[in-house]
Amino acid sequence: MNNRRSFMKKSAALGMGAFGINSLFNELHAADFQNAEKFWDPASETNDDYWATIQEAYTASKSDVIILNNGGVSPSPLVVQEALEKYNRQAAQGPSYYMWRIMDKGREPLRKRLATLGGCDPEEIAINRNATEALNTVIFGLPLQKGDEVIGMKFDYPNMMNAWRQRQLRDGIVYKQLSFDFPIENDDQIVKAYADAITPQTKIIHVTHVVNWVGQIMPVQKISQMAHKKGVEVIVDGAHSFGLLDFKISDLECDYFGTSLHKFLSAPVGSGMMWIKKDKIAKIWPLVCNHEPTSADIRKFETLGTRSFCIEQAIGEAINFQEGIGTKRKQERIHYLKKYWAEKAQQIPGVKIHTSLKPEYSCAIAGVSVDGLKPGELDSKFFTQFKIHTTPISYEGVNCVRVTPHVYTKISDLDKLVDALEKISKKA
Ligand SMILES: Cc1ncc(COP(=O)(O)O)c(C=O)c1O
């Protein structure tokens, strides 16, 4: 709590902004957050008054539709929306000057702030547009030879599985995919499955930190430790973990990490980040050209052509907002929200939860199904009858609707979800 207070003071004093304009966060929220902090009671499980301030900060909390697919893409708080508008208006006065000469100066400070948030060296961070771009850069950039093996699983994200399949077709690598029967509340079982699949040809393990299909948190650090003992490198898809789980990238002990920032960090849509361990940067070929493709400078991955520097710079306000709450507090709140609805839901006859409710194994995401209804039918009933937006999952034996609250989700909206499940299951 004291750290957060001192952050507020420091950021107010420095006028911390993404590239030197006064921070909108300080103008709009620093005082609100300080007031909210007075309501914080460490003994309270709900801290409703504190969270009401956070909910207020998101326009999505006032939406006519209850948004429970924040795992897909998350809304930004108003302060981030306004920062983006401010930058867009500024750029519109002459993008070649304002974007390329002024905002461009904001990239290095932003790199440092992302590195602080990720607990790593800024020289290991490249800023890009999403997790797909970050992870495809690594997948296509690795100097793999014909016959080299990569181990992933069927529950990785399609864009990454397709990238590996393309390398298989083009370069003759061998792409093996494990399958798991989630939920699994046993790290050793997961680590053993990867370990058992390793052969002398294995070069890479690709792991999804939080599995998008059902929300399982994978034991990445244990997988990395096991893999490194066998000389295998580890790529981590952190699309659903960064900005949600309280970890440092170095804790994962992996070699490569990619994430979107428009999921749990609530940065503008079209923002992402790649992390590569310092001594691996030189050997990864950039996906998009650079004049020094074998350089050890992480910036070689940022020759992305003309793109929105406004989006990039508004990430700074999303970081301000995140730091205002604190990632640990955010993780605990979102886990609480998930548990709140899922524990009630699993009491309803005919309703099944497809995700572990223990904090080590899941956080925001949980899958739910109602006997007799296909995922698409349940998703459609949620929306047409109750104005609740979720996403249906029918994939590799997983049949459920994925529900993902975010930090702005109101308890009353989760009560509506449980009520909807009661009504739907009675008629199913
Ligand atoms: C696990 C996982 N990885 C990667 C992605 C891709 O993210 P983006 O579309 O932002 O590139 C997603 C998107 O939902 C995801 O769930």
Side-chain angles (χ1 to χ4, degrees):
M1 200 160 78
N2 286 341
N3 281 348
R4 252 186 304 275
R5 285 220 183 99
S6 80
F7 157 76
M8 297 294 182
K9 272 199 199 135
K10 260 190 260 160
S11 60
L14 293 171
M16 235 156 68
F19 70 104
I21 62 161
N22 284 332
S23 165
L24 281 166
F25 175 82
N26 288 323
E27 276 174 41
L28 292 178
H29 289 306
D32 283 354
F33 271 46
Q34 264 170 329
N35 283 337
E37 202 60 51
K38 290 182 201 139
F39 298 127
W40 185 262
D41 173 5
S44 161
E45 200 190 10
T46 57
N47 275 297
D48 293 330
D49 292 336
Y50 175 86
W51 291 109
T53 305
I54 308 300
Q55 288 155 11
E56 254 323 280
Y58 276 85
T59 50
S61 67
K62 295 162 193 103
S63 159
D64 288 341
V65 175
I66 298 174
I67 303 294
L68 289 173
N69 183 22
N70 294 286
V73 62
S74 295
S76 294
L78 182 62
V79 67
V80 176
Q81 297 172 37
E82 292 197 339
L84 180 57
E85 278 169 28
K86 197 164 168 174
Y87 294 132
N88 275 330
R89 275 197 300 275
Q90 194 170 30
Q93 289 174 27
S96 89
Y97 174 71
Y98 288 103
M99 261 183 28
W100 288 347
R101 298 278 175 91
I102 305 292
M103 290 184 203
D104 193 49
K105 294 191 172 71
R107 183 163 309 108
E108 293 310 317
L110 178 62
R111 193 187 312 284
K112 286 196 181 120
R113 298 205 59 206
L114 282 167
T116 305
L117 193 61
C120 53
D121 183 340
E123 294 302 315
E124 297 175 321
I125 294 276
I127 302 160
N128 56 24
R129 293 168 291 200
N130 51 55
T132 301
E133 187 168 64
L135 293 159
N136 270 238
T137 299
V138 178
I139 293 170
F140 288 114
L142 276 161
L144 297 175
Q145 309 295 321
K146 188 171 185 210
D148 286 347
E149 285 179 5
V150 173
I151 302 168
M153 66 165 171
K154 289 185 174 159
F155 296 99
D156 290 320
Y157 191 69
N159 292 359
M160 311 328 146
M161 296 192 287
N162 289 336
W164 285 122
R165 286 180 191 126
Q166 189 169 314
R167 280 217 76 171
Q168 180 159 263
L169 269 176
R170 195 178 69 182
D171 303 321
I173 64 149
V174 178
Y175 178 42
K176 297 202 249 176
Q177 287 182 287
L178 307 176
S179 191
F180 290 100
D181 192 8
F182 294 127
I184 298 175
E185 294 182 345
N186 180 340
D187 286 351
D188 294 344
Q189 182 187 337
I190 296 175
V191 178
K192 185 172 182 308
Y194 285 96
D196 288 351
I198 291 177
T199 74
Q201 282 69 47
T202 307
K203 297 287 184 295
I204 301 288
I205 289 179
H206 179 110
V207 196
T208 302
H209 195 178
V210 178
V211 178
N212 52 291
W213 310 98
V214 282
Q216 175 89 27
I217 299 177
M218 299 291 272
V220 175
Q221 187 197 44
K222 291 180 185 168
I223 293 170
S224 299
Q225 289 170 348
M226 174 279 294
H228 287 159
K229 277 190 202 139
K230 296 174 188 255
V232 173
E233 292 186 337
V234 177
I235 302 179
V236 176
D237 178 343
H240 285 267
S241 60
F242 195 76
L244 173 66
L245 305 185
D246 187 27
F247 69 100
K248 301 292 175 204
I249 296 175
S250 55
D251 297 342
L252 304 178
E253 298 184 35
C254 60
D255 303 279
Y256 311 94
F257 179 91
T259 187
S260 304
L261 301 175
H262 46 232
K263 289 191 192 275
F264 286 95
L265 188 65
S266 281
V269 174
S271 54
M273 182 186 103
M274 177 174 70
W275 172 90
I276 299 185
K277 204 172 184 177
K278 201 79 187 289
D279 60 341
K280 315 271 175 184
I281 296 172
K283 75 167 183 183
I284 301 294
W285 295 96
L287 187 61
V288 183
C289 63
N290 182 266
H291 68 295
E292 283 186 302
T294 55
S295 153
D297 186 342
I298 192 82
R299 293 163 192 78
K300 73 180 179 183
F301 301 109
E302 291 175 350
T303 321
L304 298 171
T306 306
R307 61 196 184 277
S308 171
F309 289 5
C310 306
I311 289 178
E312 203 174 276
Q313 287 310 307
I315 297 169
E317 289 293 356
I319 298 174
N320 289 342
F321 195 84
Q322 176 87 6
E323 288 177 338
I325 299 173
T327 306
K328 180 169 183 289
R329 185 180 282 184
K330 182 170 169 178
Q331 173 178 350
E332 285 169 0
R333 172 64 176 182
I334 296 181
H335 182 261
Y336 169 80
L337 294 174
K338 188 272 305 289
K339 234 175 109 184
Y340 178 88
W341 77 263
E343 280 182 347
K344 289 183 197 299
Q346 67 186 2
Q347 306 302 321
I348 304 170
V351 172
K352 185 176 170 221
I353 296 296
H354 295 247
T355 307
S356 165
L357 299 188
K358 295 189 180 156
E360 314 89 278
Y361 298 110
S362 83
C363 184
I365 294 174
V368 64
S369 62
V370 171
D371 289 350
L373 288 181
K374 294 192 176 117
E377 293 169 337
L378 178 57
D379 176 73
S380 163
K381 281 182 194 294
F382 275 149
F383 188 74
T384 53
Q385 297 175 19
F386 301 95
K387 283 197 168 180
I388 296 174
H389 171 64
T390 54
T391 192
I393 306 277
S394 291
Y395 174 75
E396 287 288 333
V398 176
N399 289 295
C400 62
V401 162
R402 189 180 77 181
V403 173
T404 323
H406 201 293
V407 75
Y408 69 86
T409 304
K410 290 181 279 189
I411 296 286
S412 56
D413 288 341
L414 297 176
D415 287 334
K416 286 180 192 157
L417 172 74
V418 174
D419 182 56
L421 276 166
E422 265 163 8
K423 290 186 172 127
I424 292 169
S425 63
K426 269 188 199 137
K427 286 194 198 148

